[in-house]
């Protein structure tokens, strides 16, 4: 049993896989941070989605007015959903790409641009920066994922 | 070819990986269940998002009134989106954690708390339970994922 | 180091894994396409979510009227969210299924039905096709994922 375990956990000794693990953990933690930012804005703006969340503000009508949408909360939520839409493909395609045997330097280039682009995208969304700041950071991450998908399909193609 | 296949499917013989596979399948099936619950509430509350979904209720104005939001439907949808936001990081970071060679007992502890927390979170959202029930179950899953991310970064760090 | 790398990137030589990689890349690219379709409808319908996105249409009130929801944009966004809700379980459970050692023919059957069903689902949503077109294509993908989850749990079960 031990022998098998050692063999199957070897992936973590592969440098490309270690880079993938590092950058994937970073972008997923960044995405998780959006939940805390949403909670922060919900509490400071007093804007909640569920009646049970407003119970600490009293009962009945006095609490009901906090069941509302707030533009700062909605902005963070749009950023969070955009993360899901873009980070999910990165995590899935990036894993396949890391296993397809790329050069470490090429893999690092892809992972670094994607991670940098998504961090920039979050700042561009939350500050907010004037366009095309957010658009370009979104496009950079999109193109990196597309490039990895191309390499996966070239290496693995079996339809 | 056969030899290579046998080798590469060996992961499933690793006990930590088997535990990861079991708990990941369970939380993803739980998340998929939200689609059925949404469909159930859409049909019993007669609240739909697309005109073509209301065609069985007649044509024109008589069907149009079913194109509406319903608070029970929206509650399930918020629970579903919260699952996506939290289960995606668990699946991604959990895979890397399982491959980083943790003790089986430590891995089981992480996977069990996360899975239990997300099942509790769903009940807390749908019943609904008074706060901080839902908040605490959300935080438990969040902290478990954070703990796994820390261990992945410690084992794999290559920036 | 090189020896280890060669060993750990071997997964890509496994035919079932190659099929998984091919279909996963295809469905994730299809999901990514929804972002471009959303952007297309936002620009042709002039319906934006962020004030900074309307700056090219002038300042003040003249730009503010483009901060609105449009039913074509919302339709694409519902399709995109439905993709996330269904493709995330496929990618996660499909990976575990591919590693559980299925026959290539059985694996191809699962991956092909899922991918075909999600492409049909997108057409059914965007054209839109009358129901139960969209419902059936959704159910086909759902059942395939469920079938893979059953096989993963049977092969890996360790609670």
């Amino acid at each position: 049993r031990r022998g098998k375990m050692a063999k199957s956990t070897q992936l973590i000794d592969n440098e490309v896989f270690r880079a993938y693990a590092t950058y994937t953990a970073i972008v997923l933690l960044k995405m998780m941070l959006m939940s805390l930012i949403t909670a922060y804005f919900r509490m400071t703006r007093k804007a909640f989605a569920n009646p049970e969340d407003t119970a600490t503000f009293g009962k009945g009508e006095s609490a009901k007015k906090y069941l509302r949408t707030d533009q700062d909360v909605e902005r963070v939520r749009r950023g969070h959903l955009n993360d899901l839409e873009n980070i999910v493909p990165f995590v899935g395609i990036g894993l396949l790409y890391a296993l397809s045997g790329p050069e470490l330097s090429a893999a690092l280039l892809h992972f670094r641009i994607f991670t940098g682009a998504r961090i920039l995208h979050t700042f561009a969304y939350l500050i907010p920066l004037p366009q095309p700041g957010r658009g370009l950071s979104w496009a950079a991450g999109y193109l990196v994922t597309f490039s990895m998908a191309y390499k996966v399909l070239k290496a693995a193609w079996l339809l």
Side-chain angles (χ1 to χ4, degrees), chain A residues 42 45-55 57 60-70:
Chain A
R42 281 202 183 284
R45 269 61 170 170
K46 292 199 170 58
F48 298 91
N50 300 291
E52 66 269 27
D53 302 349
T54 64
F57 302 114
E61 290 309 308
S62 62
K64 217 170 174 178
K65 69 180 172 205
Y66 301 122
L67 279 181
R68 58 188 189 86
T69 55
D70 171 88

Side-chain angles (χ1 to χ4, degrees), chain A residues 32-48:
Chain A
M32 287 170 69
L33 185 62
M34 303 306 273
S35 299
L36 294 183
I37 301 176
T38 301
Y40 170 79
F41 278 112
R42 281 202 183 284
M43 281 186 276
T44 54
R45 269 61 170 170
K46 292 199 170 58
F48 298 91

Side-chain angles (χ1 to χ4, degrees), chain A residues 146-159:
Chain A
F146 202 85
S147 163
M148 294 194 303
Y150 171 76
K151 272 149 200 179
V152 166
L153 288 175
K154 218 174 108 180
W157 190 261
L158 192 161
L159 207 60

